[in-house]
Amino acid sequence: MPGAELIHQAAEYYKKDFDPVYGGMKGAPKFPSSLPIRLLLRYHRRSQDEDALNMASITLKKMADGGMYDHVGGGFHRYSTDDKWLIPHFEKMLYDNALLAMDYLEGYQVTGEEGFRCVAEEILNYVKTDMTSPEGAFYSATDADSITPSAEREEGYYFTWTPEELEQILGPERYRVVKRYYAVGPDSIFEGRHILNRTKNHKDIVDDLGMSEEELFAVIDESKKLLYQERNKRPLPLRDEKIITSWNGLTVSAFARAGLILENSQYVDCAIRAVQFIFNHLYSDGKLYRSL
């Protein structure tokens, strides 16, 4: 069991190499800061160190704003190839998303920030919709590559857009809003297509567009649904349908905690179904089967 001094040293190390602009550790590539965030939140609770809370909050916000987060379908990609969380390796891993869901749930508990609650819910809804077997267990991963209209395999194609595609799907007025909200411009280009990300505070955007916050979020919610429906017409990235016990355990924890924190029994039901699968198929003669 690590003592208080060792935990203090870990927090001080994180402060030393913290990126104050984009969160996480300085440099690239950047991997999801899941366990450090939970350490910082607990360290803040024990010590009342405001720097620890600020580092965790900045990192949570910047990760969710960046292109490493799937703004249309929910869930995080594997890691960011740059220091801004903008350009991801587009693979998605179950264990990353389970850990990050718990990060955002705990961030919401500490700060009351509604955006953190929303991200946690979107992660879990992504897992529930796209990564859950008919029996209730959770699949392992989805590939970074997908098939283009020219029948080539290309990383990120499924998740990215051209301005022309966005305007055709959304119409001119919704596209005008989405273009500003998700920073569709020269800085978001990957392989000739755009990665949705957020670079401005929504309050600045509503001022620029001359609309209320309620109107802005209504347009964004409607646009996300339209983009999700259209995106699912594309060939899906390959899905690794292995059922890994330890990763399922992490995801059960995430759903169970969400059920408790958000008072949502549907999340609890997801956790129960996965545990029942584990007991029925991965537990025998007092032994739990797992991969090393």
Side-chain angles (χ1 to χ4, degrees):
M1 177 73 70
E5 179 57 30
L6 186 59
I7 295 172
H8 174 73
Q9 290 176 13
E12 291 299 313
Y13 174 82
Y14 201 82
K15 289 180 184 181
K16 178 182 175 183
D17 284 348
F18 179 69
D19 182 341
V21 177
Y22 295 106
M25 306 296 276
K26 295 175 183 175
K30 279 188 173 178
F31 285 80
S33 298
S34 50
L35 295 178
I37 286 172
R38 295 170 73 188
L39 171 67
L40 290 171
L41 291 174
R42 285 160 171 73
Y43 183 70
H44 165 260
R45 181 175 183 180
R46 172 177 291 186
S47 66
Q48 300 304 305
D49 185 329
E50 290 299 318
D51 288 339
L53 178 58
N54 289 335
M55 288 189 291
S57 297
I58 290 170
T59 304
L60 288 171
K61 183 179 186 305
K62 292 299 184 178
M63 285 196 301
D65 283 344
M68 194 179 75
Y69 185 64
D70 181 358
H71 292 275
V72 171
F76 281 89
H77 297 293
R78 183 68 186 91
Y79 62 87
S80 174
T81 62
D82 63 292
D83 65 349
K84 302 175 183 178
W85 308 109
L86 174 60
I87 300 175
H89 174 53
F90 285 89
E91 185 180 22
K92 285 184 177 181
M93 306 298 295
L94 178 66
Y95 65 87
D96 280 330
N97 283 286
L99 290 169
L100 285 163
M102 288 189 274
D103 285 343
Y104 281 91
L105 287 167
E106 293 189 7
Y108 170 64
Q109 283 184 294
V110 175
T111 67
E113 173 61 51
E114 283 296 311
F116 295 164
R117 176 192 60 78
C118 181
V119 172
E121 290 182 331
E122 288 180 348
I123 293 171
L124 295 175
N125 290 340
Y126 150 70
V127 173
K128 181 179 177 182
T129 302
D130 295 347
M131 298 295 287
T132 303
S133 73
E135 299 84 4
F138 306 114
Y139 298 133
S140 296
T142 55
D143 199 358
D145 300 346
S146 57
I147 304 297
T148 69
S150 59
E152 300 289 332
R153 295 192 64 81
E154 183 177 309
E155 180 171 355
Y157 183 88
Y158 177 81
F159 298 99
T160 55
W161 311 87
T162 65
E164 294 76 19
E165 287 172 339
L166 291 171
E167 186 167 14
Q168 182 179 11
I169 296 163
L170 301 175
E173 185 55 32
R174 278 190 294 256
Y175 173 63
R176 181 178 75 94
V177 175
V178 165
K179 181 179 179 181
R180 295 299 301 279
Y181 188 79
Y182 285 123
V184 179
D187 294 333
S188 64
I189 295 176
F190 173 78
E191 302 290 345
R193 298 169 65 79
H194 289 266
I195 301 170
L196 300 185
N197 70 109
R198 294 187 299 238
T199 60
K200 286 189 174 183
N201 186 290
H202 69 271
K203 294 182 180 178
D204 296 328
I205 295 173
V206 296
D207 290 341
D208 293 343
L209 295 175
M211 60 197 312
S212 68
E213 291 185 23
E214 291 76 12
E215 290 171 329
L216 171 67
F217 289 123
V219 171
I220 293 301
D221 288 344
E222 185 179 22
S223 298
K224 286 165 65 173
K225 292 174 183 175
L226 291 170
L227 292 174
Y228 183 79
Q229 292 169 2
E230 188 65 28
R231 193 174 76 174
N232 278 350
K233 297 177 183 178
R234 301 172 180 174
L236 298 172
L238 293 177
R239 183 170 63 189
D240 183 346
E241 297 188 351
K242 289 195 302 291
I243 307 297
I244 298 177
T245 304
S246 58
W247 297 6
N248 269 252
L250 289 172
T251 312
V252 166
S253 292
F255 274 105
R257 290 178 188 224
L260 175 65
I261 295 167
L262 304 179
E263 298 182 345
N264 187 326
S265 62
Q266 293 184 15
Y267 291 144
V268 177
D269 292 340
C270 290
I272 291 171
R273 290 188 69 215
V275 170
Q276 288 173 334
F277 177 92
I278 291 170
F279 273 113
N280 291 339
H281 299 280
L282 300 172
Y283 185 79
S284 179
D285 298 326
K287 296 180 180 179
L288 182 65
Y289 291 92
R290 60 182 294 267
S291 298
L292 297 177

